[in-house]
Amino acid sequence: MNKVQKKSITLHISRIHSEGWWLGNDKEHVAAGTALGSDCTTVIYEPSKKGMTGKFDAINQTWSEVEDKSLNEFFSPVGQFFVIGTPDGDYPDWAVLEVPPEFDPETQTVLYAEKKWTVYPIQIGNSYWNEEGQELLISDFNFTLPEKHTFTRPPKVKKGYAVHLVDGKWKQLEDHREQIAFSKDRDNDEKGDYQVEELGLLPNTHTLLEPEQFDSWNEELGQWQYDPLRYRFVWAQDEKQWQQVKLTKVETELLFYAQDKQIPELYSELRKTHYSEDEYFSLLGDRILLNEYVQQDDFPECGRPTLSGLV
């Protein structure tokens, strides 16, 4: 605590910050019957060298000297200027000591990343496009164009095509997406039909032309054509099915006839069939004709056999 002066006097003093930091040396007039304020001391401090400052201990009336960091400069990662502000302060974790490059704050921003400064144009509201031609708007500062994007507006799309960004340039590619690609080789399951999901030409193994049931691909004409051999296979399957149905019915009637023969005439009303002997032989003939039908070399072109019509 400073003592009360018995007479008016001018003293050499060191001025003190409220937190005890040295603010410089000066002269202070003290009237008789008064004392220096708590922001002054007659214990004079002089920095030992440039960049040093003192902190006053009012209890012990002593100075301790520290490095003065109060005016040390640093920057935020977006280029804002700061000083540490207190002699014993320190840089925050995010501080950048490297001075940012010159930039126009009206049209540009800066950003410190990956140990270097980068100047960015302010592009908020500007358009850019993804690889499928979808327009997007820039909404952030320090914008970096993502991969597979461009600032170049895509061209007007031709009918049946879609634009796609390839190596940084727009290309118009055939667009058959969501259509069915039909395999030209209808007998190869590995090259079956599929729904198109990507842009571009179809493989030579497929076409967008839909075949009829009995068509095969004519490579020379570049189109489907009716194929008798393909129809013949289906026709033969149908005829075999018809033959089996008829043959089953005939053999069933023949079995019933044989069973009925075991029933005495007295109980003839219990019989399931009432064929005459001639009709029985006609059924036997039907069975022979049906079996021979599918064994002929020109089946099914030979035509169905003429049956008795009993079943």
Side-chain angles (χ1 to χ4, degrees):
M1 182 175 179
N2 293 318
K3 66 180 181 178
V4 176
Q5 299 297 324
K6 294 180 179 181
K7 61 180 181 178
S8 297
I9 190 172
T10 298
L11 300 174
H12 290 280
I13 54 101
S14 288
R15 296 195 181 278
I16 308 169
H17 185 270
S18 59
E19 295 181 359
W21 296 109
W22 177 68
L23 296 178
N25 295 332
D26 204 352
K27 293 179 180 180
E28 185 78 10
H29 178 76
V30 182
T34 64
L36 287 171
S38 60
D39 60 345
C40 298
T41 180
T42 56
V43 181
I44 303 300
Y45 167 76
E46 288 285 351
S48 62
K49 61 180 179 179
K50 186 177 181 180
M52 304 299 287
T53 192
K55 190 170 187 179
F56 188 65
D57 183 343
I59 295 176
N60 296 315
Q61 293 291 296
T62 58
W63 289 94
S64 58
E65 189 172 59
V66 297
E67 180 186 356
D68 185 2
K69 298 180 181 179
S70 60
L71 297 180
N72 286 14
E73 300 176 353
F74 65 95
F75 301 87
S76 73
V78 293
Q80 293 174 297
F81 174 78
F82 295 92
V83 294
I84 290 179
T86 58
D88 60 348
D90 204 350
Y91 298 108
D93 293 339
W94 47 264
V96 180
L97 302 186
E98 182 182 341
V99 178
E102 292 186 6
F103 68 101
D104 181 354
E106 295 294 324
T107 60
Q108 296 173 315
T109 59
V110 291
L111 181 68
Y112 189 83
E114 298 181 358
K115 299 183 179 181
K116 66 177 182 179
W117 287 105
T118 303
V119 178
Y120 293 90
I122 297 176
Q123 298 175 298
I124 292 178
N126 290 357
S127 296
Y128 66 106
W129 288 264
N130 65 16
E131 63 180 340
E132 295 180 349
Q134 180 183 4
E135 184 176 8
L136 306 168
L137 292 179
I138 299 173
S139 58
D140 298 317
F141 291 106
N142 309 319
F143 178 77
T144 298
L145 188 69
E147 289 187 10
K148 298 182 180 180
H149 289 69
T150 181
F151 289 118
T152 304
R153 182 182 295 274
K156 185 177 180 181
V157 182
K158 296 186 293 186
K159 185 177 181 180
Y161 286 75
V163 293
H164 196 74
L165 194 65
V166 180
D167 296 330
K169 296 182 179 180
W170 289 114
K171 291 187 179 294
Q172 302 225 25
L173 303 178
E174 292 184 12
D175 186 3
H176 307 302
R177 289 174 295 183
E178 299 186 4
Q179 298 187 58
I180 300 299
F182 298 95
S183 174
K184 296 176 182 178
D185 185 354
R186 301 183 70 185
D187 301 317
N188 189 338
D189 292 337
E190 293 183 0
K191 298 180 180 179
D193 305 340
Y194 67 92
Q195 181 170 300
V196 181
E197 296 180 353
E198 298 180 356
L199 297 175
L201 295 171
L202 294 179
N204 289 331
T205 55
H206 287 73
T207 177
L208 295 176
L209 300 175
E210 184 176 1
E212 297 292 339
Q213 182 179 2
F214 304 115
D215 284 353
S216 289
W217 183 257
N218 186 314
E219 191 65 41
E220 184 177 344
L221 297 178
Q223 64 183 29
W224 296 106
Q225 277 194 319
Y226 171 75
D227 186 347
L229 292 179
R230 190 173 295 280
Y231 172 70
R232 186 181 187 281
F233 174 79
V234 177
W235 181 19
Q237 295 301 313
D238 290 343
E239 289 303 299
K240 286 179 180 179
Q241 184 177 3
W242 173 85
Q243 182 257 8
Q244 284 297 312
V245 171
K246 286 292 186 180
L247 184 60
T248 299
K249 289 181 178 180
V250 169
E251 289 184 335
T252 299
E253 292 300 307
L254 289 173
L255 177 62
F256 288 158
Y257 180 81
Q259 292 172 344
D260 289 344
K261 292 290 287 183
Q262 305 301 318
I263 299 174
E265 189 66 31
L266 181 62
Y267 303 105
S268 60
E269 69 274 7
L270 299 177
R271 295 172 179 171
K272 293 182 179 180
T273 65
H274 300 280
Y275 295 121
S276 65
E277 188 172 350
D278 287 342
E279 289 174 332
Y280 168 68
F281 283 111
S282 293
L283 287 173
L284 290 175
D286 287 345
R287 183 168 66 180
I288 293 172
L289 290 173
L290 288 168
N291 282 319
E292 290 178 345
Y293 174 47
V294 296
Q295 296 172 359
Q296 296 187 66
D297 293 338
D298 56 351
F299 170 81
E301 287 85 354
C302 60
R304 293 177 178 178
T306 301
L307 304 178
S308 65
L310 292 173
V311 294

